[in-house]
């Protein structure tokens, strides 16, 4: 028997055409996507299906990816595929909150629109950047940057790949030092700002005041793993504060996957666009089932394998 976890992708998974096959072929997806467009006051069909440059702008990327993920989750549920636990990568945490019953779909969409706008504003062009560091352990990267200013680790993807984030000068300096340390690759990422770094603390605090503080949060119906801790949410943890902190703190994804695998979860479904999270899992070499829902063919494989 499988113990199933839903994983929801974050920024960087976006692409023109995401969700279009589902929209054209499944009324359930179409109905949700049209509803999400109304809640967001964004034409998601124009944004996701037609060639444009807005899809890579944070204020639009985040609502678009969340909407595709939630639409695909509707289809999985409609076909009898449900998770026993959920986790999401950065903005994907909001889809995870919906899957866990903590936040309603409409509230998640409203929050993520504000989150995207705040992060876009605070990380505007030239304020900072990010880089993927491959081939060093987490501890080695931490040791190199621990005494540097305006930089930190943004994403712990798996041991051997992390993402650093901060001011342009600090990121560039860190890349040079990490190459000297023995990093196999240091790759600047095509992002618009220093996400999940202390430079975005103002955005996180404002998100709390403008969106999180007055949103209704419920007890979870299935467990979920916050990015900030990498462990299953505890009863005394305040989700609002965790989500505020998440904006300027590391995504502890490798810890989250450790938690799931050690707890016996053995089927992982990446719900939405892309294969980034599936790729991270495959790097671990674990004896687990890894599925994606980036296409209709992949979706059909998911709903046909629900033991």
């Amino acid at each position: 028997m499988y113990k199933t976890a839903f994983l929801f992708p974050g920024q960087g998974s976006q692409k023109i055409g995401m969700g279009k096959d589902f929209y054209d072929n499944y009324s359930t997806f179409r109905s949700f996507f049209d509803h999400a467009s109304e809640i967001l006051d964004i034409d998601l069909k124009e944004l996701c299906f037609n060639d444009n440059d807005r899809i890579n702008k944070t204020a639009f990327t985040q609502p678009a990816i969340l909407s595709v993920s939630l639409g695909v989750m509707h289809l999985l549920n409609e076909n009898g595929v449900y998770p026993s636990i959920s986790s999401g990568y950065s903005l994907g945490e909001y889809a995870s909150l919906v899957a866990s019953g903590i936040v309603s779909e409409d509230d998640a969409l409203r929050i993520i629109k504000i989150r995207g706008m705040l992060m876009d504003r605070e990380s505007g062009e030239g304020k900072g950047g990010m880089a993927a560091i491959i081939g060093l352990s987490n501890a080695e990267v931490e040791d190199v940057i621990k005494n540097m200013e305006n930089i930190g680790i943004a994403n712990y993807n798996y041991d051997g790949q992390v993402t650093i984030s901060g001011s342009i000068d600090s990121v560039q300096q860190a890349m040079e030092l990490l190459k000297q340390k023995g990093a196999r690759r240091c790759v600047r990422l095509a992002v618009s700002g220093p996400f999940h770094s202390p430079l975005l603390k103002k955005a996180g605090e404002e998100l709390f005041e403008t969106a999180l503080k007055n949103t209704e949060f419920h007890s979870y119906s299935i467990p979920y793993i916050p990015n900030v801790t990498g462990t299953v949410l505890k009863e005394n943890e305040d989700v609002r504060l965790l989500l505020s902190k998440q904006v300027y703190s590391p995504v502890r994804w490798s810890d989250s996957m450790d938690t799931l695998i050690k707890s016996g979860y053995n089927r992982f479904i990446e719900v939405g666009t892309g294969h980034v999270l599936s790729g991270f899992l495959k790097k671990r070499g674990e004896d687990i089932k890894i599925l994606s829902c980036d296409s209709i063919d992949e979706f059909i494989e998911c709903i046909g394998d629900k033991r």
Side-chain angles (χ1 to χ4, degrees), residues 279-296:
F280 290 162
L281 274 173
K282 289 173 182 175
K283 291 285 187 181
R284 298 174 62 104
E286 305 275 0
D287 183 20
I288 52 177
K289 183 83 170 181
I290 303 170
L291 298 165
S292 302
C293 293
D294 186 58
S295 67
I296 288 179

Side-chain angles (χ1 to χ4, degrees), residues 108-180:
L109 290 166
R110 293 187 187 102
I111 295 168
I112 210 68
K113 183 176 182 180
I114 295 169
R115 181 182 186 269
M117 290 189 295
L118 289 171
M119 290 176 69
D120 198 27
R121 185 195 73 194
E122 290 301 310
S123 64
E125 295 295 337
K127 289 187 178 179
M130 302 175 72
I133 310 302
I134 302 166
L136 292 176
S137 70
N138 296 347
E140 287 173 318
V141 178
E142 290 168 343
D143 185 60
V144 168
I145 68 172
K146 66 183 178 184
N147 295 319
M148 296 179 64
E149 294 183 353
N150 298 320
I151 193 167
I153 293 181
N155 309 107
Y156 291 89
N157 295 326
Y158 55 87
D159 200 34
Q161 191 199 103
V162 301
T163 305
I164 58 173
S165 179
S167 68
I168 295 293
D169 289 346
S170 294
V171 169
Q172 190 59 46
Q173 181 186 0
M175 289 172 67
E176 294 303 319
L177 292 172
L178 290 162
K179 287 176 186 175
Q180 293 172 22

Side-chain angles (χ1 to χ4, degrees), residues 4-297:
T4 299
F6 276 9
L7 309 179
F8 297 95
Q11 198 159 331
S13 296
Q14 72 273 8
K15 60 184 176 184
I16 296 299
M18 63 181 185
K20 188 175 189 308
D21 283 351
F22 292 109
Y23 189 93
D24 290 344
N25 289 280
Y26 294 100
S27 60
T28 296
F29 185 96
R30 187 161 54 248
S31 176
F32 171 77
F33 216 60
D34 290 344
H35 172 73
S37 290
E38 293 179 10
I39 295 296
L40 293 164
D41 193 24
I42 295 172
D43 186 342
L44 288 172
K45 289 188 291 181
E46 175 68 26
L47 178 62
C48 295
F49 303 163
N50 300 330
D51 193 29
N52 67 91
D53 60 0
R54 294 184 305 155
I55 191 68
N56 293 317
K57 295 182 178 178
T58 300
F60 294 101
T61 307
Q62 296 194 17
I65 290 176
L66 177 62
S67 298
V68 173
S69 290
L70 293 177
V72 172
M73 183 169 68
H74 269 280
L75 290 177
L76 289 168
N77 293 167
E78 183 180 60
N79 286 275
V81 181
Y82 293 90
S84 299
I85 197 168
S86 70
S87 189
Y89 191 97
S90 190
L91 77 90
E93 185 164 345
Y94 287 83
S96 178
L97 288 164
V98 174
S100 299
I102 294 174
V103 174
S104 72
E105 289 177 336
D106 288 2
D107 282 341
L109 290 166
R110 293 187 187 102
I111 295 168
I112 210 68
K113 183 176 182 180
I114 295 169
R115 181 182 186 269
M117 290 189 295
L118 289 171
M119 290 176 69
D120 198 27
R121 185 195 73 194
E122 290 301 310
S123 64
E125 295 295 337
K127 289 187 178 179
M130 302 175 72
I133 310 302
I134 302 166
L136 292 176
S137 70
N138 296 347
E140 287 173 318
V141 178
E142 290 168 343
D143 185 60
V144 168
I145 68 172
K146 66 183 178 184
N147 295 319
M148 296 179 64
E149 294 183 353
N150 298 320
I151 193 167
I153 293 181
N155 309 107
Y156 291 89
N157 295 326
Y158 55 87
D159 200 34
Q161 191 199 103
V162 301
T163 305
I164 58 173
S165 179
S167 68
I168 295 293
D169 289 346
S170 294
V171 169
Q172 190 59 46
Q173 181 186 0
M175 289 172 67
E176 294 303 319
L177 292 172
L178 290 162
K179 287 176 186 175
Q180 293 172 22
K181 183 76 172 179
R184 192 165 68 250
R185 294 182 67 201
C186 297
V187 183
R188 278 289 301 273
L189 301 182
V191 296
S192 58
F195 304 135
H196 297 288
S197 81
L199 297 179
L200 264 73
K201 187 172 183 180
K202 182 179 178 182
E205 293 174 343
E206 194 169 338
L207 179 67
F208 181 86
E209 293 297 329
T210 60
L212 296 171
K213 186 167 69 173
N214 297 318
T215 297
E216 186 175 5
F217 284 69
H218 310 278
S219 298
Y220 60 71
S221 55
I222 63 167
Y224 111 100
I225 300 177
N227 287 176
V228 172
T229 64
T231 58
V232 175
L233 182 75
K234 299 177 178 64
E235 287 188 10
N236 63 344
E237 289 182 297
D238 188 331
V239 178
R240 294 176 180 86
L241 291 176
L242 291 173
L243 292 172
S244 172
K245 189 177 180 182
Q246 187 235 51
V247 173
Y248 56 91
S249 301
V251 173
R252 297 190 176 279
W253 193 250
S254 58
D255 289 343
S256 300
M257 297 305 100
D258 285 345
T259 297
L260 289 170
I261 291 169
K262 289 175 182 176
S263 299
Y265 291 92
N266 58 359
R267 182 173 69 163
F268 296 81
I269 301 178
E270 186 168 3
V271 182
T273 185
H275 304 90
V276 173
L277 304 182
S278 302
F280 290 162
L281 274 173
K282 289 173 182 175
K283 291 285 187 181
R284 298 174 62 104
E286 305 275 0
D287 183 20
I288 52 177
K289 183 83 170 181
I290 303 170
L291 298 165
S292 302
C293 293
D294 186 58
S295 67
I296 288 179
D297 285 346

